[in-house]
Amino acid sequence: MKPGVLIIFCLLLAFSAPVLAAPERTIMGTPQPGGEFVVTLNVSGIAVGGIVENIPAGFVYVSTTHPPGRVSVADRQVSFALLGDDRVSYRLRAPAAGSGAITGFWEDFVTGENGTVAPTQITAAAAEPPETGISRPSTVMPGFSVPCSLFALTVVLFFRRRSE
Amino acid sequence: MKIAIAVVLCLLLAAPCMAMMPCDTDGNDRLSDGEMVRAIFSYLDVTYRNGTGQAASFADLSDAAYIYHYWDGAPWACTDAEGRTIVFERPLRSVAVMSPQILETMRAIGYPMGSVRGADRSVLMDREFFPDLGECRSIGSLDDPDIDALASVSPDVVFVPAGSTGDLAADAASALGIPVLRFSCASPASVRNDATTFGSLLGRRDGAEELCRFLDEQEGAVAACLDGLPQDQVPAVYVENFSAYIACESGTPAGDLVRLAGGRPVPDGFGLAGVSDEEVTAAAPAVIIKLVGRDPCAFGGIGDHMSIRFIEVRNAIGKRPGWSALPAEKEGRIYLIHAGLFEGPQYVVGLTYLACWLHPDRCAGLDPAAVHEAYLSRFCGLSDVSGIFVYPGDA
């Protein structure tokens, strides 16, 4: 297949994917070894639904501001029942050292849509002095990483072919 | 006391429809927060956490979520334009519609056309205006409902026009055990009421509010132009239905809109009435409005770009015995308009045209074509459509 055609095909494929009102995950602050940090999910587009968050090994679920009775914790999974909520926040404790990704699934039972919350990579690391106290959102825009990756891949293929 | 008895009788007569409310575990006809949360967790547990407990199906949970969100967690009692109440315990996922005006109103508030599984034959013939009815089946017409098609579509409810014209279709659906709701969506007042009722029933309250806001804005613009209109400046208007010599008097959508646009329908009367040359010439209308779009004047509207038939009908009016002496003919104030602009939520388009024709000086700032375009794009999902809707073209 010619590179130009491949690029167009990839772009069409990437941008034809339906855009859902997927929740976005944000981590405020840098997880310190043994310290606690807050994970926030923006769920304003979901009227009645649920979210399941998978916590990476070594990290421990501590608490949430979500109403009691609408949270369920089992092993490294935390589920939230959503009834008209705008956001869900919960607190995790980082291990002395380690890293992993928070992954999640969401369901909107009113619209019938569901999907995954984009993974968020977290690393327990001592904060560098200049960055102390600065919030660093680590939101990954859902659905955008795939088109970007495809685009980057095709560009590389294109220039590689040309250099040959 | 009498009111209390009437209320009790109404409640007894209200027919509960469809299966029992899902996820209502205590059976009290009310979905509590706790019941909803338990249903959500059971589903998440089985779906994402390898749980082995019992969970509601996705369909049941979706229905429960809809009831919780849109119906305040309880069955929804819908009262139609004929005062009949039906209690729904499930959302309407599949409907049939026997009226273009009802369907247009439903679309205008955002009800998905994919949920319309059956429609009146005339609706399906108007693909230019209703292009999104891909899977929709014909269920006959008001005069000749197709019982077999209706049974095979088996909708959750059939929407039928209020009034005697819809009786046959309503009886046919009832005989099959399909709930029937009857609305008109014809007059300005009924469009608003019906849109609001649809909004609550179909989970489209925001859409209904947006539509009503649009209608209020357009009606308000016309009312502002006509504010303080002296009685002696209210012109006599002869509105003629599709057939010649049939006048639309007060009580018809066109007649009522003429009043709203600062005119007076002549000759005096109510409803559709046959008239003679003598009656019309005696009434001496300053403006004549002729409706087209249905037999025997079935032309105009989206996709029709041929003005010749408009011109023929226009000229024929002036050749009727004695009509050349009418003020409307002498001053060139005879207008043809597609009836679709007088019916359903589009009535504001027709109203704006009428106001401009009846009071060109006062309403010079109104732009009916722009109102029409805005309505089509915002509430019908139709952009870049064209056709002849009025003649002469400029308001």
Side-chain angles (χ1 to χ4, degrees):
Chain A
M1 191 183 282
K2 288 183 177 177
V5 177
L6 187 66
I7 287 173
I8 292 169
F9 177 75
C10 289
L11 284 173
L12 282 174
L13 189 72
F15 288 107
S16 64
V19 179
L20 303 176
E24 293 175 8
R25 186 189 298 108
T26 310
I27 292 178
M28 300 304 289
T30 306
Q32 305 289 318
E36 294 180 3
F37 58 97
V38 175
V39 180
T40 300
L41 291 151
N42 180 349
V43 293
S44 56
I46 300 175
V48 180
I51 280 205
V52 178
E53 287 278 87
N54 298 304
I55 312 297
F59 291 80
V60 179
Y61 169 80
V62 180
S63 63
T64 179
T65 55
H66 209 55
R70 292 213 265 132
V71 188
S72 169
V73 184
D75 300 328
R76 291 204 313 277
Q77 286 187 318
V78 189
S79 303
F80 300 94
L82 307 175
L83 299 177
D85 304 285
D86 286 332
R87 58 184 56 229
V88 171
S89 290
Y90 62 95
R91 188 173 285 273
L92 294 181
R93 185 181 306 121
S99 65
I102 306 175
T103 59
F105 303 95
W106 61 274
E107 293 274 358
D108 184 333
F109 298 117
V110 174
T111 64
E113 293 173 340
N114 55 34
T116 57
V117 186
T120 304
Q121 195 68 32
I122 45 175
T123 303
E128 293 170 17
E131 290 185 6
T132 303
I134 297 173
S135 296
R136 192 180 65 183
S138 58
T139 304
V140 181
M141 293 300 286
F144 196 64
S145 55
V146 175
C148 282
S149 306
L150 283 168
F151 182 69
L153 180 67
T154 50
V155 168
V156 168
L157 280 171
F158 178 71
F159 283 107
R160 198 172 156 189
R161 280 271 187 117
R162 283 191 65 157
S163 64
E164 287 169 359
Chain B
M1 186 63 186
K2 281 181 181 173
I3 293 172
I5 293 169
V7 168
V8 170
L9 275 174
C10 285
L11 287 173
L12 287 172
L13 287 171
C17 266
M18 296 187 276
M20 203 184 80
M21 201 162 64
C23 304
D24 176 26
T25 47
D26 61 9
N28 70 345
D29 269 350
R30 180 137 211 110
L31 276 175
S32 65
D33 288 2
E35 284 170 324
M36 211 54 238
V37 168
R38 276 193 295 280
I40 291 171
F41 278 143
S42 300
Y43 180 84
L44 295 179
D45 193 47
V46 167
T47 308
Y48 296 106
R49 300 161 81 170
N50 299 320
T52 53
Q54 279 204 326
S57 67
F58 187 82
D60 276 354
L61 192 46
S62 284
D63 282 357
Y66 182 104
I67 293 165
Y68 181 89
H69 182 59
Y70 292 118
W71 294 353
D72 302 325
W76 192 258
C78 180
T79 302
D80 68 12
E82 297 196 337
R84 188 163 168 269
T85 299
I86 297 180
V87 179
F88 293 95
E89 298 199 328
R90 293 265 184 173
L92 305 181
R93 303 292 189 191
S94 152
V95 303
V97 185
M98 298 292 283
S99 149
Q101 288 78 40
I102 293 175
L103 184 59
E104 184 187 337
T105 307
M106 290 166 67
R107 177 176 66 180
I109 65 169
Y111 187 69
M113 291 294 97
S115 298
V116 181
R117 304 292 163 76
D120 182 275
R121 196 178 296 133
S122 66
V123 168
L124 294 176
M125 285 170 69
D126 194 2
R127 287 288 185 175
E128 301 263 18
F129 192 56
F130 294 112
D132 299 327
L133 296 172
E135 301 297 315
C136 187
R137 259 189 87 171
S138 168
I139 50 172
S141 62
L142 291 175
D143 297 334
D144 183 22
D146 186 336
I147 311 286
D148 293 337
L150 195 52
S152 75
V153 169
S154 188
D156 294 335
V157 69
V158 182
F159 289 90
V160 176
S164 57
T165 54
D167 286 349
L168 200 59
D171 291 346
S174 295
L176 291 169
I178 300 170
V180 176
L181 286 173
R182 306 188 66 172
F183 294 93
S184 71
C185 299
S187 68
S190 74
V191 167
R192 278 181 181 75
N193 288 341
D194 296 349
T196 305
T197 305
F198 292 165
S200 299
L201 176 66
L202 304 173
R204 301 284 160 180
R205 282 198 186 111
D206 291 348
E209 283 170 14
E210 191 185 342
L211 176 65
C212 290
R213 251 195 318 275
F214 177 79
L215 300 180
D216 289 342
E217 284 167 11
Q218 306 314 322
E219 258 194 64
V222 170
C225 291
L226 302 177
D227 188 35
L229 180 72
Q231 198 56 36
D232 62 0
Q233 287 182 23
V234 174
V237 183
Y238 171 68
V239 188
E240 188 170 87
N241 208 24
F242 311 104
S243 298
Y245 294 103
I246 301 294
C248 301
E249 308 284 6
S250 297
T252 64
D256 291 343
L257 284 178
V258 163
R259 286 199 183 280
L260 214 51
R264 177 172 56 87
V266 292
D268 280 338
F270 190 84
L272 292 174
V275 294
S276 63
D277 291 318
E278 291 73 25
E279 284 174 293
V280 176
T281 50
V287 180
I288 292 174
I289 307 291
K290 170 73 182 175
L291 302 188
V292 302
R294 277 177 224 145
D295 281 336
C297 294
F299 54 85
I302 296 175
D304 189 348
H305 300 94
M306 301 278 286
S307 60
I308 184 74
R309 284 173 292 183
F310 282 90
I311 295 168
E312 284 171 359
V313 171
R314 159 67 185 86
N315 290 343
I317 291 171
K319 289 175 183 165
R320 292 177 190 171
W323 289 47
S324 59
L326 293 177
E329 173 63 31
K330 283 182 180 171
E331 293 166 24
R333 298 181 75 187
I334 298 179
Y335 304 98
L336 279 66
I337 185 166
H338 193 276
L341 303 190
F342 281 172
E343 299 164 340
Q346 284 191 87
Y347 80 85
V348 287
V349 180
L351 171 65
T352 313
Y353 271 114
L354 282 177
C356 290
W357 289 335
L358 269 52
H359 303 282
D361 294 336
R362 281 175 168 265
C363 300
L366 299 180
D367 186 348
V371 174
H372 194 193
E373 197 178 327
Y375 173 76
L376 290 174
S377 62
R378 280 178 61 187
F379 298 99
C380 304
L382 299 171
S383 50
D384 297 327
V385 293
S386 61
I388 301 177
F389 295 88
V390 295
Y391 181 87
D394 295 323

